[in-house]
Amino acid sequence: MGTATGIIRALNSGIKHLAVKRFTLRYPEQKLKFVGDGYQFDPTTGVGIAGYKGRHLLFHDKCTGCQLCAIACEGVAEAIGMVKVPEDWKHNKKAIMPQIDYGKCVFCGLCVDACPFYALYMTNDYELSSFSKEALIYTPAQLQVKPEVQQDAEIIIDDRGAYHG
Amino acid sequence: MSVPLPPGLQLEKFEEDDKIMTLNVGPQHPGSGHMRLIIRVDGDYIVSCDPDPGYVHRGEEKMAEYRNYILNIPHLERPVIHDSCNILYPYVLGVEELLGLEVPERAKYVRVIAAELNRLSYTLYWLAIYGIFLGHSTMFMWPVGDRELAIDLLDKLTGARVTHSYFVPGGIRNDFPANFEDVCIRQVNYLKKRLKTYGDIFYDNPILISRTEDTGILSREDAIRLGTTGSVLRASGVDFDVRTKEPYDAYEELDIHTNVLKKGDSYDRSKVPWLDMLESCNIIKQALEKMPKSGSVRVKLKPNPKGGDDEVYKRVESGRGSLGVYIVSRSKPEPYRLKLSVGSFRNLICLPYLLKGEKLGNMPAVYWGLNYWPVEADR
Ligand code: SF4
Ligand code: SF4
């Protein structure tokens, strides 16, 4: 192929691209849709349930304060500390529950795999930035709240190309 | 007061002959990655090049000695976060052999799919940087955009966009989400279509060809002698791919074509990864067809599993070439010693040979054509 034909073909391919829809996701107006409600783990079968690994969700009515999640995280990021909660549960005599420092967490989800009581899941919430390091430490009370996540865009592919919509 | 620095700390040596000038490329990441190339130039021509890696050493191997086989997973994938499934692969295979685990058939296929998607996302990232190194900014934008298709699939499958922590000894963390096969086929098909358009704008583009053809030629003999691997080796005419030569997991049952080019110049080295990406799309489609439609994906492990007094070495084909892990176990829950043998470090050694006598302007094309990832090389 000659140099001129090559250059024309290269230009042509760029010009054809003008007709292709823009692929960019317009964050924060658009936010990606995820599958499911976040990563979960089923200790009886030993297999997880697919989902996004975002901020954790703690069920106070299930957590026994067994610390297995903190032990798992010890070898990963040391993000989990066990703290006293001012609550009275029959199954949690010591009244301790995990508190997670998102300045350290790497969102591996191994703490979820370690919890044998279905008490710790992950959610689709990924917008955790804050102005101070202290605000990144989520107490058991904060972890209990199920986040509201806007999810409205997914990849659509049609004959004009792929785009987020 | 001039105290002479001890020999190991002397950073710069000025040549006696003032015709030769020393140039430091990096380590402040002007496209070199976190590493330094000490280049001596005579006018526009490179007299010698001395790669100086080690700025992002993280002590992965030492860290692995203090964590059990499961907790090693998140930190072992950090050296190449864009290719995190592939860097975990040999580790997981090795631990499975140590612990005597039999992986479910379905998990083998899902692993292959995840590994190939990861190869796609890594190679597209690499290609984007290769493009921008040569001043071709379209070739930066397109791969970065199209990479999103692969990342989106990995995100759906593993729950994270880059550091997936998805493979575990004994299988994978979770099965496919609902409807994943259809979405995967659709996006991979589209990605393949997009990849083909790169031919016109980049690989057949006379400007790219004139910049990269016949620069930094690595002959077949040298490629073997220097112990290069992956796309560098295949661009020099050696038919070697761990996926076909020593197939692991489900690669045995798949039909894989190895892309081999003859010349061994920068152009061939940039083209082999592209051809590999097209092949990856085929592998994903084959694997989706052949995989068992249901079944378990993970064997249950005891907490803190222990291996015997044993050693294993496993290797896989990563985005940058063969990637091996050697594990020594001494009947403890932690490995006694873990050694990573990475493709990047092995490819770096040919850089002084390739750059000798080359023009300085060709340095980026030759350097990044090696498919080198500084963090992986330093571990
Ligand atoms: S996701 Fe990983 S890093 Fe984060 S708290 Fe759980 S175990 Fe620790
Ligand atoms: S979250 Fe689970 S693992 Fe952690 S303390 Fe509560 S019950 Fe135990």
Side-chain angles (χ1 to χ4, degrees):
Chain A
M1 190 171 42
T3 309
T5 9
I7 288 179
I8 289 167
R9 275 180 56 180
L11 283 176
N12 191 23
S13 128
I15 289 165
K16 263 195 279 176
H17 197 259
L18 287 177
V20 175
K21 273 205 156 186
R22 184 161 49 168
F23 190 47
T24 317
L25 173 78
R26 287 177 198 77
Y27 182 85
E29 285 84 33
Q30 288 180 319
K31 285 176 190 173
L32 266 187
K33 197 184 269 174
F34 300 113
V35 290
D37 286 334
Y39 180 73
Q40 303 174 356
F41 186 76
D42 188 350
T44 43
T45 57
V47 183
I49 299 156
Y52 190 74
K53 293 189 189 122
R55 195 263 275 170
H56 297 76
L57 181 62
L58 177 71
F59 297 98
H60 284 216
D61 52 344
K62 289 180 189 156
C63 178
T64 60
C66 67
Q67 309 191 18
L68 284 176
C69 51
I71 292 167
C73 195
E74 197 93 312
V76 181
E78 298 185 9
I80 299 185
M82 302 302 292
V83 292
K84 276 255 175 254
V85 282
E87 287 169 44
D88 229 1
W89 293 101
K90 246 209 334 281
H91 56 260
N92 197 340
K93 286 270 156 20
K94 282 185 270 181
I96 50 172
M97 278 180 199
Q99 150 185 304
I100 303 181
D101 181 353
Y102 286 103
K104 292 178 178 171
C105 176
V106 296
F107 302 96
C108 62
L110 287 180
C111 50
V112 178
D113 288 18
C115 178
F117 301 107
Y118 302 88
L120 198 61
Y121 284 166
M122 291 178 112
T123 62
N124 290 332
D125 185 9
Y126 53 91
E127 293 171 314
L128 299 166
S129 59
S130 87
F131 285 105
S132 70
K133 276 188 186 173
E134 290 71 43
L136 286 172
I137 301 174
Y138 277 54
T139 58
Q142 279 169 297
L143 290 174
Q144 188 183 23
V145 186
K146 206 168 183 303
E148 289 287 325
V149 190
Q150 176 199 345
Q151 299 184 48
D152 47 14
E154 58 182 343
I155 296 180
I156 298 172
I157 297 170
D158 60 20
D159 40 355
R160 281 195 61 206
Y163 57 94
H164 283 102
Chain B
M1 50 153 280
S2 75
V3 183
L5 283 168
L9 287 178
Q10 274 165 13
L11 289 178
E12 264 223 30
K13 273 198 216 97
F14 291 100
E15 308 290 324
E16 308 285 298
D17 180 2
D18 61 23
K19 246 177 76 187
I20 311 274
M21 195 171 87
T22 310
L23 263 183
N24 281 313
V25 182
Q28 298 95 340
H29 208 332
S32 71
H34 313 279
M35 64 97 70
R36 181 167 69 146
L37 300 171
I38 306 163
I39 297 178
R40 294 197 179 82
V41 283
D42 178 3
D44 199 16
Y45 289 91
I46 296 174
V47 180
S48 72
C49 167
D50 196 4
D52 177 20
Y55 287 88
V56 270
H57 173 61
R58 293 169 176 178
E60 294 290 342
E61 291 170 0
K62 193 69 193 165
M63 255 152 65
E65 292 166 18
Y66 297 95
R67 283 159 176 81
N68 72 24
Y69 289 117
I70 304 288
L71 296 182
N72 264 328
I73 291 171
H75 81 88
L76 271 182
E77 59 184 14
R78 256 63 193 174
V80 229
I81 55 169
H82 297 293
D83 205 5
S84 54
C85 283
N86 278 315
I87 195 167
L88 269 185
Y89 217 145
Y91 169 77
V92 166
L93 291 174
V95 175
E96 272 156 11
E97 196 175 301
L98 276 178
L99 306 182
L101 301 175
E102 191 58 52
V103 185
E105 200 59 25
R106 186 173 161 85
K108 291 185 180 175
Y109 278 92
V110 180
R111 275 193 204 171
V112 165
I113 291 166
E116 291 304 320
L117 283 171
N118 230 224
R119 191 188 318 280
L120 278 169
S121 96
Y122 168 77
T123 316
L124 281 166
Y125 189 86
W126 167 84
L127 181 58
I129 298 188
Y130 192 76
I132 200 72
F133 263 28
L134 297 177
H136 197 309
S137 48
T138 311
M139 214 51 216
F140 176 73
M141 294 297 178
W142 289 16
V144 167
D146 295 335
R147 185 170 164 263
E148 187 66 29
L149 293 162
I151 293 212
D152 181 71
L153 288 173
L154 282 167
D155 179 14
K156 289 193 167 76
L157 180 59
T158 70
R161 286 167 65 85
V162 277
T163 45
H164 314 295
S165 309
Y166 186 54
F167 294 6
V168 280
I172 46 171
R173 296 270 296 275
N174 57 262
D175 207 340
F176 280 175
N179 216 348
F180 183 76
E181 281 96 336
D182 300 339
V183 182
C184 186
I185 286 277
R186 196 169 67 225
Q187 297 197 3
V188 167
N189 276 339
Y190 179 73
L191 184 58
K192 196 171 173 197
K193 209 172 96 192
R194 289 281 306 153
L195 284 175
K196 284 188 179 148
T197 62
Y198 294 0
D200 269 352
I201 200 153
F202 197 63
Y203 287 104
D204 295 338
N205 192 332
I207 300 171
L208 176 89
I209 295 174
S210 64
R211 280 206 61 184
T212 55
E213 212 168 32
D214 295 325
T215 62
I217 295 180
L218 184 68
S219 67
R220 190 189 145 93
E221 290 69 40
D222 279 350
I224 297 170
R225 184 173 62 86
L226 294 169
T228 59
T229 165
S231 59
V232 179
L233 189 61
R234 291 200 287 277
S236 291
V238 185
D239 181 358
F240 182 82
D241 187 325
V242 185
R243 286 176 290 174
T244 51
K245 295 288 183 230
E246 300 167 6
Y248 44 95
D249 270 8
Y251 284 110
E252 266 166 278
E253 277 110 76
L254 302 174
D255 179 23
I256 302 164
H257 171 73
T258 314
N259 299 297
V260 182
L261 296 180
K262 290 266 138 32
K263 215 161 165 189
D265 56 1
S266 284
Y267 180 70
D268 283 0
R269 278 197 292 275
S270 71
K271 196 163 181 176
V272 168
W274 177 56
L275 298 173
D276 280 354
M277 277 197 278
L278 292 170
E279 189 56 34
S280 285
C281 295
N282 293 340
I283 296 173
I284 293 170
K285 275 189 268 180
Q286 273 183 47
L288 278 172
E289 261 165 40
K290 282 197 183 164
M291 68 187 289
K293 292 295 165 260
S294 60
S296 119
V297 288
R298 182 177 181 177
V299 288
K300 230 176 162 178
L301 279 181
K302 297 194 297 282
N304 279 341
K306 283 191 187 97
D309 274 352
D310 213 349
E311 308 179 355
V312 284
Y313 177 73
K314 287 278 171 191
R315 64 172 171 177
V316 303
E317 185 75 18
S318 74
R320 297 151 308 287
S322 96
L323 205 163
V325 169
Y326 175 64
I327 309 172
V328 182
S329 153
R330 291 279 179 269
S331 310
K332 289 232 175 70
E334 302 89 21
Y336 175 73
R337 175 81 169 93
L338 187 140
K339 169 90 185 125
L340 288 163
S341 149
V342 290
S344 301
F345 192 65
R346 293 168 61 185
N347 286 344
L348 185 67
I349 197 164
C350 56
L351 195 62
Y353 297 87
L354 297 181
L355 281 180
K356 209 169 201 162
E358 209 57 64
K359 277 189 183 162
L360 186 60
N362 288 335
M363 189 276 291
V366 175
Y367 166 59
W368 204 245
L370 290 180
N371 215 334
Y372 172 71
W373 197 256
V375 194
E376 191 198 40
D378 296 351
R379 269 97 82 209

